[in-house]
Amino acid sequence: MQKIQPVNGHALIKLNNNDEKKVGGIIIPRTAQEKLNEGIVEGLAANSTDEINVGERVIYKELSGTKIKQDGIEYLLIPVDDIIAKYVDVDEI
């Protein structure tokens, strides 16, 4: 089994590409949904950033990176600088 390891300041983002099923059984395909530029960090290049860790859910710039498909799962390989935010747990807003 092979694993994709980002290099040269890149991050590997696992995309959420599931069709969404709404109440009433209507399925809305991915192509008709508003595209969210978010995913889960699956890998980082060595020494690329201290702010983001593998496993975190992040938001990245639109039209960023290169799509890759491995074992039926879609990933996006993007420069770490294209990650603009991450989700964090907080007690209060």
Side-chain angles (χ1 to χ4, degrees), residues 3-46:
K3 179 182 170 184
I4 300 170
Q5 175 62 52
V7 297
N8 297 328
H10 284 76
L12 183 68
I13 309 294
K14 182 178 178 185
L15 302 176
N16 182 10
N17 287 332
N18 298 330
D19 291 338
E20 187 173 329
K21 190 172 185 178
K22 295 287 186 182
V23 176
I26 298 172
I27 296 176
I28 301 173
R30 286 182 285 146
T31 54
Q33 295 179 28
E34 181 179 332
K35 183 181 175 194
L36 296 176
N37 299 321
E38 63 180 45
I40 306 294
V41 177
E42 291 287 313
L44 290 167

Side-chain angles (χ1 to χ4, degrees):
M1 180 172 158
Q2 291 185 329
K3 179 182 170 184
I4 300 170
Q5 175 62 52
V7 297
N8 297 328
H10 284 76
L12 183 68
I13 309 294
K14 182 178 178 185
L15 302 176
N16 182 10
N17 287 332
N18 298 330
D19 291 338
E20 187 173 329
K21 190 172 185 178
K22 295 287 186 182
V23 176
I26 298 172
I27 296 176
I28 301 173
R30 286 182 285 146
T31 54
Q33 295 179 28
E34 181 179 332
K35 183 181 175 194
L36 296 176
N37 299 321
E38 63 180 45
I40 306 294
V41 177
E42 291 287 313
L44 290 167
N47 301 319
S48 59
T49 182
D50 293 330
E51 294 183 274
I52 301 163
N53 297 306
V54 171
E56 291 184 313
R57 192 168 131 210
V58 296
I59 301 170
Y60 55 87
K61 292 181 183 178
E62 189 173 359
L63 304 175
S64 179
T66 302
K67 283 191 176 180
I68 299 169
K69 195 168 192 176
Q70 182 181 25
D71 299 328
I73 301 171
E74 284 191 12
Y75 297 94
L76 190 63
L77 191 59
I78 66 172
V80 170
D81 291 340
D82 284 356
I83 297 174
I84 55 177
K86 67 179 179 178
Y87 290 90
V88 294
D89 292 326
V90 295
D91 294 332
E92 292 182 28
I93 292 180

